[in-house]
Amino acid sequence: MVGGTSAIIDLALREDIGHRDVTTHLLVNKEARGTARMRAKETFVLAGSEIVSQVFVRLGGDVKTTLFYEDGAEVHAGDAIAELKGSLRVLLGGERTALNFLQRLSGVATETRRIVKKVEGYPVRILDTRKTTPGWRALEKEAVRIGGGYNHRWGLYDGILIKDNHIGVAGGIVRAVERARLNAPLLAKIEVEVSTLREVEEALRAGADVIMLDNMSITDMKKAVDFINKRALVEASGGITFENVEAIARTGVDFVSMGALTTASRAVDITMEVERYLE
């Protein structure tokens, strides 16, 4: 499980339960114990399964969680994903929070897997972006990896990416790259965002290690890849969808980054049902 998850789980539980689960406390005895199962209601790629048990641990219950699938597995409608045994109050109190994590992260992994399969056979890697749910970045980026994608930079601190506003402030692509190179760690790669073929030439002349083709037409992407001719790595970004990703991969780019992996993925359908309980 990724670092910092406990704090995210605690926040989610606080906003859902507040000071207590009123309905459950009125209807369920403190000593009651039960068994529940989480089941898939559709086909999807599982992600976030380890968080399920941690939700109930954070609630302080002695809930035993048995997982029937590992992250990355494809599950189908009717499949039991997990069995949970323990305090019935804890099971009911943590149900929605556990499902929220599991449904959301499995949705990201499923969409990523769908995109990755679309470009199988092409020498291209599918990357995520920083367009993640606030506070959930580590979780969503892990879900992307589970789905077969790769992580772009994690934040503003671990990669040099010179974008249009940086270029404007620095006074042009060449000056921006020169200034970055002067102060950057020796082995750090410098990536430059461009949107025209003229800017591609300028970025290559400036010595960019990676050139990001932002919102370019597929025709211009192909021209840019041919012009760069492996003198820099090439990333395609902006306006990329399931429908056009294969055509973009066909241009010869090295990477395709897609914010849609995390912003447009749909939470999958999972249910949790109490199957047995003892008062």
Side-chain angles (χ1 to χ4, degrees):
M1 192 168 65
V2 299
T5 303
S6 294
I8 299 171
I9 292 173
D10 288 345
L11 175 63
L13 288 170
R14 282 198 304 273
E15 71 180 4
D16 194 38
I17 297 175
H19 67 285
R20 71 170 179 167
D21 175 357
V22 177
T23 307
T24 297
H25 274 68
L26 289 173
L27 300 181
V28 179
N29 293 331
K30 183 178 180 180
E31 295 78 16
R33 301 183 67 78
T35 299
R37 285 203 170 196
M38 291 184 171
R39 292 185 183 276
K41 297 183 72 176
E42 61 178 313
T43 297
F44 59 84
V45 176
L46 183 65
S49 62
E50 291 185 7
I51 297 177
V52 171
S53 61
Q54 289 303 308
V55 167
F56 301 105
V57 168
R58 301 304 292 179
L59 278 175
D62 57 339
V63 173
K64 178 183 178 182
T65 303
T66 302
L67 298 173
F68 300 124
Y69 293 93
E70 295 182 349
D71 284 349
E74 185 176 278
V75 298
H76 305 277
D79 287 347
I81 300 167
E83 181 179 79
L84 306 110
K85 295 181 178 181
S87 164
L88 194 52
R89 282 189 173 185
V90 172
L91 289 177
L92 295 176
E95 174 186 356
R96 173 43 51 201
T97 298
L99 287 174
N100 282 349
F101 280 110
L102 199 59
Q103 290 175 297
R104 168 66 181 156
L105 297 175
S106 294
V108 171
T110 301
E111 179 63 12
T112 302
R113 179 75 57 84
R114 189 170 80 110
I115 297 293
V116 168
K117 283 187 174 181
K118 188 70 179 292
V119 298
E120 276 183 347
Y122 296 96
V124 64
R125 292 186 177 187
I126 300 298
L127 308 178
D128 56 21
T129 70
R130 288 167 42 240
K131 295 177 182 177
T132 53
T133 306
W136 280 52
R137 181 165 296 172
L139 296 176
E140 291 179 349
K141 281 183 171 284
E142 182 181 35
V144 167
R145 294 196 304 274
I146 289 169
Y150 293 83
N151 298 144
H152 206 293
R153 57 181 183 161
W154 279 66
L156 297 174
Y157 53 85
D158 66 342
I160 304 169
L161 174 48
I162 302 173
K163 298 174 73 69
D164 55 351
N165 284 327
H166 299 117
I167 292 168
V169 170
I173 291 175
V174 172
R175 291 186 65 180
V177 173
E178 287 176 348
R179 290 178 63 179
R181 187 77 72 191
L182 183 64
N183 298 297
L186 179 63
L187 299 180
K189 293 186 181 297
I190 295 176
E191 182 169 9
V192 177
E193 177 188 82
V194 301
S195 57
T196 67
L197 293 174
R198 182 188 62 79
E199 290 176 344
V200 169
E201 296 179 18
E202 192 174 352
L204 196 59
R205 187 169 67 251
D209 301 296
V210 186
I211 298 176
M212 177 192 286
L213 310 179
D214 183 50
N215 281 294
M216 275 192 179
S217 68
I218 293 176
T219 299
D220 281 351
M221 277 189 198
K222 177 59 177 171
K223 290 179 180 178
V225 170
D226 290 344
F227 176 78
I228 293 168
N229 193 26
K230 301 188 182 302
R231 289 176 287 176
L233 294 172
V234 184
E235 174 184 341
S237 185
I240 300 170
T241 65
F242 178 79
E243 288 72 27
N244 66 16
V245 68
E246 184 177 7
I248 290 170
R250 200 179 296 125
T251 66
V253 296
D254 301 289
F255 310 107
V256 174
S257 58
M258 298 181 63
L261 298 181
T262 50
T263 63
S265 57
R266 176 184 62 82
V268 301
D269 198 357
I270 304 172
T271 187
M272 180 178 129
E273 298 291 340
V274 175
E275 299 186 340
R276 296 184 300 277
Y277 66 94
L278 295 172
E279 293 286 351

